[in-house]
Amino acid sequence: MTRYYKVPSDPSSYRPDDPNSYTYVDGYGFTPPPPILTERRLLQRYSNGLGFSILLYFILTAFVPFLILWGCAVFRPAIRIYGNQVLASSSIIQLVNLLSSVICLFLPFFLFVLLSHVPLRIAFPLRRFSSSLCVPCVFVSLAVSVVGVVSSSLLGNLLSLFSLTPHTSLYLPEETGARVLFGLQLCLIAPLVEEFVFRGMIFQSMRRFGDSFALILSAILFAMFHGNLVQAPNAFLMGLVIGYFVLYSGSLWVGVIIHMVNNILSFAMDLIGTVLPAEYQAVFTLCIFAFYLISGLAALLLLVRKYPNMFMFIRSTTLSTERIKYRVAFSSVTMVFALILLSAIIIQNMIA
């Protein structure tokens, strides 16, 4: 039975003894819990939903690739599956990786959006954008990526002092078909899906609790999903920058373009590095990074001049402080389990 308290005093000075219960006030009847408590409960529900989506992602990654392989085996009898062992061409394996990565990442968070009753037009802002805004944003993001790469390199050197060497290099398939699929996944599919998930469904859904809170939360999850501690600084910075430009432009397409350009150029640098003599690789990388920094600084000055209010955050109107919101978000039950699994993958990558 619900408890209640009889409060005969002036309702204007109402402060409940137990904020988790309803209180009876003369002339007002039963009053609900205070708005700040309702906001925290809603944030906890959303956080549990995100945590459940992450756990569902791990569950799907355990069996979806094998389901796709079984489906491919129906049309390609040459494919053999023996328990956890698969006998197939590298092109088939790469195709399975591409399809399973899309399904496993997109489906759980799309389910979160549906169950949270977030309108799709809110979760996926796809308004038209100006090229005069998008192009400078791309160059600013490339400049930030240099800071991220340097930070990641410094972190990698620090970890090496403790004999920890996380795997950071990309495996480039040797077969032509597999290499094409790998490039397609890295340069087109991954940026599209990741932007729709992290800067779309996660970021846009959490904006009701404050833009800065949603921006940092989505960037943290984006960094942890990379599963690599060395790549985390770069992923976190890029998540912040891309998220901010999506916020300002109001279009996910800006984030998709920035992400695609960054991945395409990184992939191109890796390919050039495989054919460039070793003595020229460092000089080549320094020249590219210098171009990124100079063009990024010029683009930043152009944005500040053309959009004077671009880098002015609107103050959050939420009732809870930022510290309390992070505490509530990262202490929900499913989110705790999700963070433990993500951290375990990062640790496993360092000691494997």
Side-chain angles (χ1 to χ4, degrees), residues 49-121:
L50 283 178
F52 173 79
S53 299
I54 296 173
L55 295 177
L56 182 58
Y57 162 80
F58 284 109
I59 294 173
L60 291 177
T61 55
F63 68 87
V64 166
F66 287 96
L67 290 179
I68 297 176
L69 275 171
W70 280 107
C72 293
V74 174
F75 301 98
R76 295 289 298 272
I79 300 175
R80 295 289 186 268
I81 303 175
Y82 306 98
N84 292 331
Q85 302 295 322
V86 177
L87 181 61
S89 65
S90 57
S91 296
I92 294 296
I93 298 298
Q94 191 62 49
L95 178 62
V96 170
N97 288 337
L98 190 155
L99 296 176
S100 60
S101 64
V102 172
I103 295 173
C104 295
L105 185 59
F106 187 86
L107 187 59
F109 294 99
F110 186 69
L111 182 63
F112 161 72
V113 167
L114 295 181
L115 294 179
S116 300
H117 304 289
V118 178
L120 295 183
R121 59 180 178 82

Side-chain angles (χ1 to χ4, degrees), residues 89-167:
S89 65
S90 57
S91 296
I92 294 296
I93 298 298
Q94 191 62 49
L95 178 62
V96 170
N97 288 337
L98 190 155
L99 296 176
S100 60
S101 64
V102 172
I103 295 173
C104 295
L105 185 59
F106 187 86
L107 187 59
F109 294 99
F110 186 69
L111 182 63
F112 161 72
V113 167
L114 295 181
L115 294 179
S116 300
H117 304 289
V118 178
L120 295 183
R121 59 180 178 82
I122 300 297
F124 305 111
L126 301 175
R127 60 182 291 186
R128 296 180 61 181
F129 60 90
S130 171
S131 59
S132 62
L133 171 65
C134 182
V135 173
C137 289
V138 169
F139 284 102
V140 172
S141 301
L142 291 176
V144 173
S145 72
V146 175
V147 179
V149 169
V150 172
S151 301
S152 295
S153 178
L154 292 176
L155 180 58
N157 293 333
L158 179 63
L159 292 175
S160 65
L161 297 178
F162 301 94
S163 300
L164 298 174
T165 55
H167 302 285

Side-chain angles (χ1 to χ4, degrees), residues 261-336:
V261 171
N262 181 74
N263 283 15
I264 289 172
L265 293 178
S266 298
F267 185 49
M269 288 181 65
D270 288 339
L271 290 178
I272 295 174
T274 59
V275 298
L276 198 66
E279 59 270 20
Y280 297 116
Q281 290 183 6
V283 177
F284 172 74
T285 302
L286 288 175
C287 291
I288 295 298
F289 283 178
F291 171 73
Y292 285 175
L293 290 173
I294 295 174
S295 60
L297 179 60
L300 179 62
L301 295 176
L302 178 63
L303 287 175
V304 171
R305 181 178 179 181
K306 192 169 184 178
Y307 307 96
N309 299 325
M310 183 171 188
F311 298 100
M312 295 179 60
F313 252 114
I314 300 177
R315 186 177 180 84
S316 174
T317 57
T318 56
L319 301 174
S320 302
T321 63
E322 296 296 308
R323 181 173 60 87
I324 291 178
K325 285 189 287 188
Y326 289 116
R327 187 184 68 188
V328 172
F330 290 115
S331 63
S332 63
V333 177
T334 58
M335 181 61 79
V336 169

Side-chain angles (χ1 to χ4, degrees), residues 167-185:
H167 302 285
T168 57
S169 58
L170 293 175
Y171 168 70
L172 192 61
E174 296 181 359
E175 187 179 319
T176 303
R179 183 170 293 193
V180 171
L181 289 173
F182 177 81
L184 180 66
Q185 179 179 2

